[in-house]
Amino acid sequence: MDTRFLESFVAVVEFGSMAEAGRRLNLTAAGVAQRLRVLEEDFGIALVTRVGRRVHPTEAGVAVFTKARALLQGIRELRQVALADTESGELRLGAVSTAMTGILPRAMRGLHATHPNFNIFVAPGTSMDLYERVVDGDLDAAIIVAPPFRMPKTCDWRPIRTEPLLLIRSESLAVDDPRELLSTQPFIRYDRNHWGGRLAENYLRYLDIVPEDRYELDALEAIAVMVDSGLGVSLVPDWAPPWPEGIRLIKTAIPNPEFARHIGLVWLRANNSLRTIEAFLDEVASTSLSD
């Protein structure tokens, strides 16, 4: 049995969609569906069923999913053991969207130069999703926003970047006072389902302001473009550049250091990829010092 087919099945169950599983695995939805058909023929039983646009595991699929996930993790651990005394390594790394463009490129370039045989797989996602995947052992490490709770002792954490909360507005707004802007202008909200979005909500509560919500988005780059277009003001973290090209925003830092987003790397202490994780962290540190 090709373990890549099991990997596709696990991804479909986790994300509930063949299209999303394909995006995560760099496959087409048709390619994922073909792998599932081969796997079901091999087992002689249906593993998934469609309900509307969602894909759900059958009773047999649930049982296979649990075992398949453990098997794939075991295979990855065996691979790391085999590579322990070589110059090779493997790392399944998650990253939030702003880290994908602002932190990863230079670090990955340096890591490739110093460790050309390292194999790095990068998965996008939200901080909450990536944190859970690290805890579950599906990812070796992830660059995320610091969780708003105490992490278990099984996890390790290394801070990478502190991003103060910013009030952003278009150049057409002559008002400077943050309280007045937040009280009178339409507000483009950073999604409160994100840990960074909750930070903005906490600041509004601190000011005792209930803004006139116009939109609530989960993409910081889109928020910046909408603010530049004069659709409202927003509170966002000062994420690592690049920001969208061509925008001309006025950014006002929130003076209270309590309202800052902290970006870091989380990983499990019991991890066969520790050597690769340390090499990656060294590159992140060196690129940060060169800024």
Side-chain angles (χ1 to χ4, degrees), residues 127-128 131 144-151 194-196 198-199 202:
S127 292
M128 186 181 302
Y131 169 78
I144 63 171
V145 178
F149 51 79
R150 186 182 296 275
M151 287 182 280
H194 291 254
W195 291 337
R198 295 178 192 175
L199 179 69
N202 290 339

mmCIF file with all atom_site columns, all heavy atoms in Angstrom, residues 127-128 131 144-151 194-196 198-199 202:
data_model
loop_
_atom_site.group_PDB
_atom_site.id
_atom_site.type_symbol
_atom_site.label_atom_id
_atom_site.label_alt_id
_atom_site.label_comp_id
_atom_site.label_asym_id
_atom_site.label_entity_id
_atom_site.label_seq_id
_atom_site.pdbx_PDB_ins_code
_atom_site.Cartn_x
_atom_site.Cartn_y
_atom_site.Cartn_z
_atom_site.occupancy
_atom_site.B_iso_or_equiv
_atom_site.pdbx_formal_charge
_atom_site.auth_seq_id
_atom_site.auth_comp_id
_atom_site.auth_asym_id
_atom_site.auth_atom_id
_atom_site.pdbx_PDB_model_num
ATOM 1   N N   . SER A 1 127 ? -3.581  30.275 13.427 1.00 0.00 ? 127 SER A N   1
ATOM 2   C CA  . SER A 1 127 ? -2.796  29.899 14.608 1.00 0.00 ? 127 SER A CA  1
ATOM 3   C C   . SER A 1 127 ? -3.449  28.756 15.374 1.00 0.00 ? 127 SER A C   1
ATOM 4   O O   . SER A 1 127 ? -2.775  27.810 15.797 1.00 0.00 ? 127 SER A O   1
ATOM 5   C CB  . SER A 1 127 ? -2.632  31.118 15.528 1.00 0.00 ? 127 SER A CB  1
ATOM 6   O OG  . SER A 1 127 ? -1.815  32.090 14.922 1.00 0.00 ? 127 SER A OG  1
ATOM 7   N N   . MET A 1 128 ? -4.761  28.837 15.559 1.00 0.00 ? 128 MET A N   1
ATOM 8   C CA  . MET A 1 128 ? -5.457  27.803 16.315 1.00 0.00 ? 128 MET A CA  1
ATOM 9   C C   . MET A 1 128 ? -5.360  26.445 15.630 1.00 0.00 ? 128 MET A C   1
ATOM 10  O O   . MET A 1 128 ? -5.058  25.428 16.268 1.00 0.00 ? 128 MET A O   1
ATOM 11  C CB  . MET A 1 128 ? -6.925  28.192 16.503 1.00 0.00 ? 128 MET A CB  1
ATOM 12  C CG  . MET A 1 128 ? -7.720  27.258 17.401 1.00 0.00 ? 128 MET A CG  1
ATOM 13  S SD  . MET A 1 128 ? -9.456  27.760 17.562 1.00 0.00 ? 128 MET A SD  1
ATOM 14  C CE  . MET A 1 128 ? -9.268  29.420 18.220 1.00 0.00 ? 128 MET A CE  1
ATOM 15  N N   . TYR A 1 131 ? -1.656  25.191 15.757 1.00 0.00 ? 131 TYR A N   1
ATOM 16  C CA  . TYR A 1 131 ? -1.296  24.765 17.116 1.00 0.00 ? 131 TYR A CA  1
ATOM 17  C C   . TYR A 1 131 ? -1.846  23.359 17.388 1.00 0.00 ? 131 TYR A C   1
ATOM 18  O O   . TYR A 1 131 ? -1.130  22.488 17.908 1.00 0.00 ? 131 TYR A O   1
ATOM 19  C CB  . TYR A 1 131 ? -1.844  25.758 18.134 1.00 0.00 ? 131 TYR A CB  1
ATOM 20  C CG  . TYR A 1 131 ? -1.750  25.274 19.566 1.00 0.00 ? 131 TYR A CG  1
ATOM 21  C CD1 . TYR A 1 131 ? -0.535  25.316 20.252 1.00 0.00 ? 131 TYR A CD1 1
ATOM 22  C CD2 . TYR A 1 131 ? -2.860  24.760 20.232 1.00 0.00 ? 131 TYR A CD2 1
ATOM 23  C CE1 . TYR A 1 131 ? -0.434  24.854 21.557 1.00 0.00 ? 131 TYR A CE1 1
ATOM 24  C CE2 . TYR A 1 131 ? -2.766  24.308 21.533 1.00 0.00 ? 131 TYR A CE2 1
ATOM 25  C CZ  . TYR A 1 131 ? -1.553  24.353 22.193 1.00 0.00 ? 131 TYR A CZ  1
ATOM 26  O OH  . TYR A 1 131 ? -1.467  23.888 23.486 1.00 0.00 ? 131 TYR A OH  1
ATOM 27  N N   . ILE A 1 144 ? 3.222   30.667 14.761 1.00 0.00 ? 144 ILE A N   1
ATOM 28  C CA  . ILE A 1 144 ? 1.854   31.079 15.077 1.00 0.00 ? 144 ILE A CA  1
ATOM 29  C C   . ILE A 1 144 ? 1.873   32.286 16.011 1.00 0.00 ? 144 ILE A C   1
ATOM 30  O O   . ILE A 1 144 ? 2.922   32.682 16.523 1.00 0.00 ? 144 ILE A O   1
ATOM 31  C CB  . ILE A 1 144 ? 1.068   29.938 15.747 1.00 0.00 ? 144 ILE A CB  1
ATOM 32  C CG1 . ILE A 1 144 ? 1.709   29.545 17.096 1.00 0.00 ? 144 ILE A CG1 1
ATOM 33  C CG2 . ILE A 1 144 ? 0.961   28.722 14.837 1.00 0.00 ? 144 ILE A CG2 1
ATOM 34  C CD1 . ILE A 1 144 ? 0.881   28.573 17.924 1.00 0.00 ? 144 ILE A CD1 1
ATOM 35  N N   . VAL A 1 145 ? 0.685   32.830 16.242 1.00 0.00 ? 145 VAL A N   1
ATOM 36  C CA  . VAL A 1 145 ? 0.503   33.842 17.275 1.00 0.00 ? 145 VAL A CA  1
ATOM 37  C C   . VAL A 1 145 ? 0.502   33.127 18.621 1.00 0.00 ? 145 VAL A C   1
ATOM 38  O O   . VAL A 1 145 ? -0.062  32.036 18.758 1.00 0.00 ? 145 VAL A O   1
ATOM 39  C CB  . VAL A 1 145 ? -0.829  34.585 17.066 1.00 0.00 ? 145 VAL A CB  1
ATOM 40  C CG1 . VAL A 1 145 ? -1.055  35.614 18.160 1.00 0.00 ? 145 VAL A CG1 1
ATOM 41  C CG2 . VAL A 1 145 ? -0.856  35.243 15.694 1.00 0.00 ? 145 VAL A CG2 1
ATOM 42  N N   . ALA A 1 146 ? 1.139   33.728 19.623 1.00 0.00 ? 146 ALA A N   1
ATOM 43  C CA  . ALA A 1 146 ? 1.172   33.122 20.948 1.00 0.00 ? 146 ALA A CA  1
ATOM 44  C C   . ALA A 1 146 ? -0.250  32.851 21.430 1.00 0.00 ? 146 ALA A C   1
ATOM 45  O O   . ALA A 1 146 ? -1.099  33.746 21.405 1.00 0.00 ? 146 ALA A O   1
ATOM 46  C CB  . ALA A 1 146 ? 1.888   34.039 21.935 1.00 0.00 ? 146 ALA A CB  1
ATOM 47  N N   . PRO A 1 147 ? -0.552  31.632 21.859 1.00 0.00 ? 147 PRO A N   1
ATOM 48  C CA  . PRO A 1 147 ? -1.913  31.302 22.296 1.00 0.00 ? 147 PRO A CA  1
ATOM 49  C C   . PRO A 1 147 ? -2.328  32.132 23.514 1.00 0.00 ? 147 PRO A C   1
ATOM 50  O O   . PRO A 1 147 ? -1.483  32.492 24.339 1.00 0.00 ? 147 PRO A O   1
ATOM 51  C CB  . PRO A 1 147 ? -1.821  29.812 22.661 1.00 0.00 ? 147 PRO A CB  1
ATOM 52  C CG  . PRO A 1 147 ? -0.614  29.308 21.940 1.00 0.00 ? 147 PRO A CG  1
ATOM 53  C CD  . PRO A 1 147 ? 0.343   30.454 21.898 1.00 0.00 ? 147 PRO A CD  1
ATOM 54  N N   . PRO A 1 148 ? -3.626  32.423 23.632 1.00 0.00 ? 148 PRO A N   1
ATOM 55  C CA  . PRO A 1 148 ? -4.116  33.180 24.792 1.00 0.00 ? 148 PRO A CA  1
ATOM 56  C C   . PRO A 1 148 ? -4.341  32.293 26.006 1.00 0.00 ? 148 PRO A C   1
ATOM 57  O O   . PRO A 1 148 ? -5.242  32.530 26.810 1.00 0.00 ? 148 PRO A O   1
ATOM 58  C CB  . PRO A 1 148 ? -5.441  33.763 24.269 1.00 0.00 ? 148 PRO A CB  1
ATOM 59  C CG  . PRO A 1 148 ? -5.926  32.753 23.289 1.00 0.00 ? 148 PRO A CG  1
ATOM 60  C CD  . PRO A 1 148 ? -4.684  32.189 22.631 1.00 0.00 ? 148 PRO A CD  1
ATOM 61  N N   . PHE A 1 149 ? -3.543  31.244 26.135 1.00 0.00 ? 149 PHE A N   1
ATOM 62  C CA  . PHE A 1 149 ? -3.645  30.317 27.267 1.00 0.00 ? 149 PHE A CA  1
ATOM 63  C C   . PHE A 1 149 ? -2.266  29.703 27.497 1.00 0.00 ? 149 PHE A C   1
ATOM 64  O O   . PHE A 1 149 ? -1.374  29.808 26.646 1.00 0.00 ? 149 PHE A O   1
ATOM 65  C CB  . PHE A 1 149 ? -4.688  29.219 26.992 1.00 0.00 ? 149 PHE A CB  1
ATOM 66  C CG  . PHE A 1 149 ? -4.509  28.512 25.666 1.00 0.00 ? 149 PHE A CG  1
ATOM 67  C CD1 . PHE A 1 149 ? -3.556  27.515 25.502 1.00 0.00 ? 149 PHE A CD1 1
ATOM 68  C CD2 . PHE A 1 149 ? -5.295  28.857 24.573 1.00 0.00 ? 149 PHE A CD2 1
ATOM 69  C CE1 . PHE A 1 149 ? -3.384  26.877 24.284 1.00 0.00 ? 149 PHE A CE1 1
ATOM 70  C CE2 . PHE A 1 149 ? -5.127  28.227 23.340 1.00 0.00 ? 149 PHE A CE2 1
ATOM 71  C CZ  . PHE A 1 149 ? -4.181  27.234 23.209 1.00 0.00 ? 149 PHE A CZ  1
ATOM 72  N N   . ARG A 1 150 ? -2.100  29.078 28.640 1.00 0.00 ? 150 ARG A N   1
ATOM 73  C CA  . ARG A 1 150 ? -0.822  28.438 28.956 1.00 0.00 ? 150 ARG A CA  1
ATOM 74  C C   . ARG A 1 150 ? -0.696  27.137 28.172 1.00 0.00 ? 150 ARG A C   1
ATOM 75  O O   . ARG A 1 150 ? -1.579  26.281 28.222 1.00 0.00 ? 150 ARG A O   1
ATOM 76  C CB  . ARG A 1 150 ? -0.734  28.153 30.455 1.00 0.00 ? 150 ARG A CB  1
ATOM 77  C CG  . ARG A 1 150 ? 0.631   27.608 30.892 1.00 0.00 ? 150 ARG A CG  1
ATOM 78  C CD  . ARG A 1 150 ? 0.632   27.298 32.378 1.00 0.00 ? 150 ARG A CD  1
ATOM 79  N NE  . ARG A 1 150 ? 0.448   28.509 33.151 1.00 0.00 ? 150 ARG A NE  1
ATOM 80  C CZ  . ARG A 1 150 ? 1.444   29.334 33.498 1.00 0.00 ? 150 ARG A CZ  1
ATOM 81  N NH1 . ARG A 1 150 ? 2.681   29.049 33.118 1.00 0.00 ? 150 ARG A NH1 1
ATOM 82  N NH2 . ARG A 1 150 ? 1.204   30.402 34.216 1.00 0.00 ? 150 ARG A NH2 1
ATOM 83  N N   . MET A 1 151 ? 0.406   27.006 27.447 1.00 0.00 ? 151 MET A N   1
ATOM 84  C CA  . MET A 1 151 ? 0.629   25.787 26.676 1.00 0.00 ? 151 MET A CA  1
ATOM 85  C C   . MET A 1 151 ? 1.057   24.648 27.591 1.00 0.00 ? 151 MET A C   1
ATOM 86  O O   . MET A 1 151 ? 1.671   24.882 28.636 1.00 0.00 ? 151 MET A O   1
ATOM 87  C CB  . MET A 1 151 ? 1.687   26.040 25.597 1.00 0.00 ? 151 MET A CB  1
ATOM 88  C CG  . MET A 1 151 ? 1.193   26.882 24.440 1.00 0.00 ? 151 MET A CG  1
ATOM 89  S SD  . MET A 1 151 ? 2.426   27.122 23.139 1.00 0.00 ? 151 MET A SD  1
ATOM 90  C CE  . MET A 1 151 ? 3.410   28.429 23.889 1.00 0.00 ? 151 MET A CE  1
ATOM 91  N N   . HIS A 1 194 ? -9.696  34.651 15.095 1.00 0.00 ? 194 HIS A N   1
ATOM 92  C CA  . HIS A 1 194 ? -8.232  34.592 15.118 1.00 0.00 ? 194 HIS A CA  1
ATOM 93  C C   . HIS A 1 194 ? -7.739  35.178 16.442 1.00 0.00 ? 194 HIS A C   1
ATOM 94  O O   . HIS A 1 194 ? -8.314  36.136 16.961 1.00 0.00 ? 194 HIS A O   1
ATOM 95  C CB  . HIS A 1 194 ? -7.637  35.394 13.960 1.00 0.00 ? 194 HIS A CB  1
ATOM 96  C CG  . HIS A 1 194 ? -7.893  34.789 12.613 1.00 0.00 ? 194 HIS A CG  1
ATOM 97  N ND1 . HIS A 1 194 ? -6.917  34.151 11.888 1.00 0.00 ? 194 HIS A ND1 1
ATOM 98  C CD2 . HIS A 1 194 ? -9.019  34.711 11.862 1.00 0.00 ? 194 HIS A CD2 1
ATOM 99  C CE1 . HIS A 1 194 ? -7.416  33.717 10.745 1.00 0.00 ? 194 HIS A CE1 1
ATOM 100 N NE2 . HIS A 1 194 ? -8.702  34.044 10.711 1.00 0.00 ? 194 HIS A NE2 1
ATOM 101 N N   . TRP A 1 195 ? -6.649  34.636 16.947 1.00 0.00 ? 195 TRP A N   1
ATOM 102 C CA  . TRP A 1 195 ? -6.115  35.146 18.210 1.00 0.00 ? 195 TRP A CA  1
ATOM 103 C C   . TRP A 1 195 ? -5.698  36.608 18.072 1.00 0.00 ? 195 TRP A C   1
ATOM 104 O O   . TRP A 1 195 ? -5.861  37.389 19.005 1.00 0.00 ? 195 TRP A O   1
ATOM 105 C CB  . TRP A 1 195 ? -4.942  34.275 18.667 1.00 0.00 ? 195 TRP A CB  1
ATOM 106 C CG  . TRP A 1 195 ? -5.398  32.906 19.098 1.00 0.00 ? 195 TRP A CG  1
ATOM 107 C CD1 . TRP A 1 195 ? -6.650  32.559 19.516 1.00 0.00 ? 195 TRP A CD1 1
ATOM 108 C CD2 . TRP A 1 195 ? -4.618  31.706 19.124 1.00 0.00 ? 195 TRP A CD2 1
ATOM 109 N NE1 . TRP A 1 195 ? -6.698  31.233 19.811 1.00 0.00 ? 195 TRP A NE1 1
ATOM 110 C CE2 . TRP A 1 195 ? -5.467  30.670 19.589 1.00 0.00 ? 195 TRP A CE2 1
ATOM 111 C CE3 . TRP A 1 195 ? -3.299  31.412 18.826 1.00 0.00 ? 195 TRP A CE3 1
ATOM 112 C CZ2 . TRP A 1 195 ? -5.023  29.349 19.753 1.00 0.00 ? 195 TRP A CZ2 1
ATOM 113 C CZ3 . TRP A 1 195 ? -2.857  30.103 18.981 1.00 0.00 ? 195 TRP A CZ3 1
ATOM 114 C CH2 . TRP A 1 195 ? -3.711  29.086 19.439 1.00 0.00 ? 195 TRP A CH2 1
ATOM 115 N N   . GLY A 1 196 ? -5.178  37.001 16.907 1.00 0.00 ? 196 GLY A N   1
ATOM 116 C CA  . GLY A 1 196 ? -4.839  38.400 16.677 1.00 0.00 ? 196 GLY A CA  1
ATOM 117 C C   . GLY A 1 196 ? -6.075  39.284 16.637 1.00 0.00 ? 196 GLY A C   1
ATOM 118 O O   . GLY A 1 196 ? -6.052  40.440 17.082 1.00 0.00 ? 196 GLY A O   1
ATOM 119 N N   . ARG A 1 198 ? -8.785  38.799 18.328 1.00 0.00 ? 198 ARG A N   1
ATOM 120 C CA  . ARG A 1 198 ? -9.240  38.971 19.709 1.00 0.00 ? 198 ARG A CA  1
ATOM 121 C C   . ARG A 1 198 ? -8.449  40.070 20.409 1.00 0.00 ? 198 ARG A C   1
ATOM 122 O O   . ARG A 1 198 ? -8.968  40.754 21.297 1.00 0.00 ? 198 ARG A O   1
ATOM 123 C CB  . ARG A 1 198 ? -9.090  37.657 20.470 1.00 0.00 ? 198 ARG A CB  1
ATOM 124 C CG  . ARG A 1 198 ? -9.993  36.541 19.954 1.00 0.00 ? 198 ARG A CG  1
ATOM 125 C CD  . ARG A 1 198 ? -9.761  35.251 20.715 1.00 0.00 ? 198 ARG A CD  1
ATOM 126 N NE  . ARG A 1 198 ? -10.401 34.135 20.040 1.00 0.00 ? 198 ARG A NE  1
ATOM 127 C CZ  . ARG A 1 198 ? -10.275 32.869 20.445 1.00 0.00 ? 198 ARG A CZ  1
ATOM 128 N NH1 . ARG A 1 198 ? -9.545  32.585 21.516 1.00 0.00 ? 198 ARG A NH1 1
ATOM 129 N NH2 . ARG A 1 198 ? -10.882 31.899 19.783 1.00 0.00 ? 198 ARG A NH2 1
ATOM 130 N N   . LEU A 1 199 ? -7.199  40.237 20.011 1.00 0.00 ? 199 LEU A N   1
ATOM 131 C CA  . LEU A 1 199 ? -6.382  41.307 20.577 1.00 0.00 ? 199 LEU A CA  1
ATOM 132 C C   . LEU A 1 199 ? -7.001  42.669 20.263 1.00 0.00 ? 199 LEU A C   1
ATOM 133 O O   . LEU A 1 199 ? -7.099  43.537 21.147 1.00 0.00 ? 199 LEU A O   1
ATOM 134 C CB  . LEU A 1 199 ? -4.966  41.224 20.010 1.00 0.00 ? 199 LEU A CB  1
ATOM 135 C CG  . LEU A 1 199 ? -3.972  42.286 20.464 1.00 0.00 ? 199 LEU A CG  1
ATOM 136 C CD1 . LEU A 1 199 ? -3.626  42.087 21.925 1.00 0.00 ? 199 LEU A CD1 1
ATOM 137 C CD2 . LEU A 1 199 ? -2.704  42.225 19.611 1.00 0.00 ? 199 LEU A CD2 1
ATOM 138 N N   . ASN A 1 202 ? -10.051 43.165 22.372 1.00 0.00 ? 202 ASN A N   1
ATOM 139 C CA  . ASN A 1 202 ? -9.704  43.500 23.760 1.00 0.00 ? 202 ASN A CA  1
ATOM 140 C C   . ASN A 1 202 ? -9.328  44.973 23.899 1.00 0.00 ? 202 ASN A C   1
ATOM 141 O O   . ASN A 1 202 ? -9.635  45.608 24.915 1.00 0.00 ? 202 ASN A O   1
ATOM 142 C CB  . ASN A 1 202 ? -8.549  42.623 24.244 1.00 0.00 ? 202 ASN A CB  1
ATOM 143 C CG  . ASN A 1 202 ? -8.966  41.181 24.433 1.00 0.00 ? 202 ASN A CG  1
ATOM 144 O OD1 . ASN A 1 202 ? -10.152 40.875 24.585 1.00 0.00 ? 202 ASN A OD1 1
ATOM 145 N ND2 . ASN A 1 202 ? -8.002  40.273 24.419 1.00 0.00 ? 202 ASN A ND2 1
#
